[in-house]
Amino acid sequence: MENLGFTAFAFETPFADAALAYRYVAGEDIPEDKVFCYGMSPMFGGWKETQDLLRWMREYNLSNKGEKPLHFYGVDIGSAAYGGNSAYPAVKAALDYLAAVDPGYSHGFAWLLETAETQDLFGFKALNPESQKRFLWEATRLYNRISYMGPHDAALTSAEAYQWALRSAYLAVFSARWFAGYAEAGCEDLSDNIRELCMAENINWVLEREGPGARLVYHSHNQHISRERRMGGYLQTVSAMFFLSHRLGIGRHAPATEYTLSLIHI
């Protein structure tokens, strides 16, 4: 970061959970054990190297106020705190925001919140078809409400709070699509592609947030970084980096992008 100008780390860890780590790195007073247990996937949170990285980023931000801050993001779907495959944190984050700006309307999502808390990717498959459709419809309704009233709501809170809430609502919809793909017989590969696409969209969101010239380190398993297609059942599974390369126009003969990505394989 000091020598090459990187200002953001993005991990293959759930977006909604990592908001806790983002706030910790920004300087908010949050117990470290809470950050490492609930602010990222348990595997990463348990690594000394990850803990040292977040401590260093936090100390840098606290010691260099006025400089461009360092940021930590999660770009995966799901939730580490709820078994890895839950939409609950994204739904709850969006609803917490909505309760602050429109409490009356937020009460209409009690069923969505309860279902998101009790049914993960695998439990969703056992729901009856009408409940599955309702979950997707209500997640979409939540996103639409936050999206359509953006300027009004941001004025009541802040542009930063609104951005995080909108992204959380977006991930609630993506989670519903992910669940639906997995629930459809023979469509597990489609479900994997939905997850990969979501990670690519989240990385792109981070790059746009960081602004022109952003330099981002992306830390992930090989399968999410490789641009090679993987043969699955009846279709090919592609990676987050495959989707992102097409989104940013990165290719053998493509012009240079305005962003810089550094990839760490595990």
Side-chain angles (χ1 to χ4, degrees):
M1 291 181 177
E2 293 177 335
N3 296 326
L4 299 177
F6 286 88
T7 59
F9 266 82
F11 269 52
E12 179 203 334
T13 204
F15 174 90
D17 293 340
L20 188 69
Y22 177 94
R23 287 160 37 211
Y24 168 80
V25 166
E28 191 170 325
D29 188 15
I30 304 172
E32 284 189 349
D33 58 345
K34 183 177 180 180
V35 174
F36 300 144
C37 287
Y38 303 110
M40 63 190 69
S41 299
M43 177 178 65
F44 298 140
W47 290 354
K48 179 180 182 300
E49 292 80 2
T50 307
Q51 296 174 7
D52 289 345
L53 171 66
L54 264 66
R55 290 189 187 106
W56 182 85
M57 293 174 72
R58 173 184 172 85
E59 182 58 35
Y60 179 94
N61 285 337
L62 292 174
S63 302
N64 294 275
K65 292 183 178 180
E67 300 291 330
K68 184 173 176 60
L70 306 181
H71 293 141
F72 180 91
Y73 299 92
V75 295
D76 204 353
I77 199 168
S79 168
Y82 286 80
N85 303 302
S86 172
Y88 178 72
V91 171
K92 187 174 188 307
L95 282 176
D96 284 348
Y97 179 85
L98 187 58
V101 297
D102 192 349
Y105 196 79
S106 70
H107 293 158
F109 292 96
W111 181 89
L112 175 65
L113 184 65
E114 178 183 357
T115 305
E117 185 174 17
T118 58
Q119 305 296 334
D120 63 1
L121 176 70
F122 307 108
F124 183 88
K125 195 170 186 176
L127 292 176
N128 63 63
E130 289 305 312
S131 293
Q132 291 180 2
K133 291 177 183 178
R134 181 180 178 183
F135 190 87
L136 177 57
W137 178 78
E138 291 211 3
T140 303
R141 184 166 66 94
L142 174 61
Y143 174 79
N144 288 345
R145 164 58 188 80
I146 294 178
S147 176
Y148 295 161
M149 296 294 288
H152 172 269
D153 294 344
L156 295 176
T157 54
S158 68
E160 175 80 355
Y162 171 73
Q163 285 181 11
W164 282 94
L166 181 63
R167 198 66 194 174
S168 295
Y170 179 84
L171 291 180
V173 177
F174 241 108
S175 295
R177 292 170 58 192
W178 182 35
F179 291 0
Y182 184 81
E184 186 176 348
C187 285
E188 288 82 1
D189 297 324
L190 172 61
S191 179
D192 287 343
N193 281 346
I194 291 172
R195 180 190 172 202
E196 299 290 343
L197 175 59
C198 185
M199 284 196 282
E201 292 292 324
N202 283 338
I203 295 170
N204 190 65
W205 179 82
V206 169
L207 290 171
E208 290 180 347
R209 262 180 64 87
E210 292 295 307
R215 300 175 73 85
L216 169 72
V217 176
Y218 175 42
H219 183 281
S220 184
H221 282 93
N222 292 348
Q223 69 191 69
H224 307 301
I225 291 177
S226 171
R227 295 185 198 173
E228 298 296 322
R229 291 184 173 94
R230 306 188 308 279
M231 294 304 298
Y234 73 94
L235 54 75
Q236 293 178 326
T237 302
V238 296
S239 70
M241 196 51 55
F242 179 89
F243 283 119
L244 189 65
S245 296
H246 283 267
R247 164 61 76 91
L248 298 179
I250 301 173
R252 183 176 299 174
H253 303 295
T257 176
E258 62 180 322
Y259 306 117
T260 300
L261 284 170
S262 177
L263 310 178
I264 299 179
H265 301 239
I266 57 172

